[in-house]
Amino acid sequence: MQTELSQTLGVEHAVFGFTPFPAVAAAISRAGGLGVLGAVRYTAPDELERDLDWIEAHAGGRPYGLDVVMPEKKVEGVTEADVEAMIPEAHRAYVKELLARFGVPELAEGEAAGWRITGWMEQVARRQLDVAFDHPVKLLANALGSPPADVVARAHDRGVLVAALAGSARHALKHKDAGIDIVVAQGYEAGGHTGEIASMVLTPEVVDAVAPLPVLCAGGIGSGRQVAAALSLGAQGVWLGSIWLTTTEADLHSPALTRKLLAAGSGDTVRSRALTGKPARQLRTEWTDAWDDPAGPGPLPMPLQGLLVAEAVSRIQKYEVEPLLGTPVGQIVGRMTRERSVQAVFDDLTRGFEEAVARMNRIAGRSGPT
């Protein structure tokens, strides 16, 4: 599964694996892909430095990358406290009532919420970059449009390729104009923040729009034949995230959530603004239903919603309140039916890819790998 892009980055397979877990990122790189660590949860630079050091020590000398969340345009002088003050009391009351309805216990006195959205703030992301650029990262990806121009230039000065996610050809063209090296065409099926165009339509549109820039296909990919389909659409690789959530290296800290993921079908996700304020595909739960209910106050815009629900999400996760317990995940969750190692996932991907290529060669009347 090699392409010009994978050869440029020195990886065996054109599989880019996004994950919040250092052990998964290192395992993806060891298996021949490119592990990309999600940085949004790292609000303390020393914690990110610790985990990047760990990846470097456990990736077997293979390349890896970092994914940050930075707005393209900077808003000056706005603090987290300023944003918190914008949250209406009616929304706070709705969260309190919802947690009480399902009997969610309080956090212990003095215990801080483990999930915050401060990683979405530019000053936090810039501190992350100060750490990252002291490590031999090969790829910097941004999940919220193109990074600021000075960040792109800083990456290029260090020989780091820059990728940005796009949900439409129009967004992809903006990335090209901003000097981005790789466009990730993220389809409607994907977990997390997505647009409204499915991968089968989106990928060739983006490939044609930004040529000759390389494009990665994201959304709904969890098998080798789907990797083959993505490459046949013109992509130079695939960007996988959801499939790693049920690997043995993942550290969800929640047996209940793992059970829910393994039991879910491809129709058990929903694109909801319940978590961050922007449409994000996630497991459908009583939590998402409550925020999508027309009788409720409705989600706030980003970043207000994320700050509003931060403590609630931490309490739901800590106490594993199953009716409310969820996570961002794509429609590929229907294929995630058992726990496997990262290497086992790669074995299935490569085997399925070879079978798909052989099948297409037979259809085309050519000889090929069997």
Side-chain angles (χ1 to χ4, degrees), residues 229-306:
L231 299 190
S232 73
L233 293 173
Q236 285 207 32
V238 292
W239 177 275
L240 308 185
S242 297
I243 198 72
W244 316 114
L245 289 173
T246 52
T247 57
T248 52
E249 292 90 346
D251 193 10
L252 286 177
H253 296 295
S254 175
L257 181 54
T258 298
R259 287 195 302 271
K260 290 187 75 170
L261 287 169
L262 294 174
S266 56
D268 292 326
T269 68
V270 64
R271 191 165 165 268
S272 170
R273 297 196 294 124
L275 188 61
T276 68
K278 285 189 70 175
R281 186 168 297 285
Q282 55 203 279
L283 279 181
R284 182 176 181 177
T285 64
E286 295 283 356
W287 176 263
T288 61
D289 285 350
W291 285 103
D292 294 337
D293 186 348
L300 294 168
M302 180 186 283
L304 301 183
Q305 182 72 11

Side-chain angles (χ1 to χ4, degrees), residues 14-15 24 36 69 74 83 90 94-95 100 105 108 118 156-157 169 179 203 227 240 249 266 275 308 310 314 332:
V15 175
V24 175
V36 182
V69 181
K74 185 174 182 178
V83 178
Y94 188 69
V95 171
T118 49
H156 287 167
D157 286 345
T203 301
V227 176
L240 308 185
E249 292 90 346
S266 56
L275 188 61
L308 168 67
S314 291
I332 199 63

Side-chain angles (χ1 to χ4, degrees), residues 37-200:
L37 180 68
V40 70
R41 67 189 179 93
Y42 293 96
T43 55
D46 59 331
E47 293 177 357
L48 178 59
E49 183 166 18
R50 175 201 65 202
D51 283 355
L52 288 178
D53 286 343
W54 191 94
I55 292 174
E56 192 170 337
H58 292 83
R62 306 291 183 89
Y64 63 92
L66 188 73
D67 179 279
V68 297
V69 181
M70 294 188 74
E72 185 176 5
K73 296 179 180 179
K74 185 174 182 178
V75 180
E76 299 282 358
V78 178
T79 67
E80 184 177 343
D82 295 331
V83 178
E84 288 265 17
M86 301 177 190
I87 298 173
E89 286 302 320
H91 280 75
R92 295 188 188 276
Y94 188 69
V95 171
K96 185 176 181 180
E97 185 277 328
L98 187 57
L99 296 177
R101 190 193 318 166
F102 287 90
V104 183
E106 298 274 356
L107 294 176
E109 185 175 353
E111 183 178 1
W115 185 88
R116 299 293 283 173
I117 202 167
T118 49
W120 295 78
M121 302 180 75
E122 182 179 346
Q123 60 266 37
V124 175
R126 286 187 177 275
R127 290 196 295 269
Q128 293 168 349
L129 292 176
D130 289 339
V131 172
F133 287 140
D134 283 336
H135 292 75
V137 297
K138 296 297 184 183
L139 177 72
L140 173 66
N142 189 46
L144 199 64
S146 303
D150 68 296
V151 171
V152 176
R154 189 178 176 191
H156 287 167
D157 286 345
R158 288 162 174 78
V160 177
L161 296 183
V162 181
L165 277 64
S168 70
R170 177 173 55 86
H171 293 155
L173 283 169
K174 289 183 178 180
H175 295 335
K176 183 178 182 181
D177 291 342
I180 299 302
D181 304 294
I182 303 166
V183 176
V184 182
Q186 183 166 349
Y188 174 81
E189 310 95 324
H193 296 117
T194 67
E196 298 180 347
I197 306 173
S199 296
M200 182 64 72

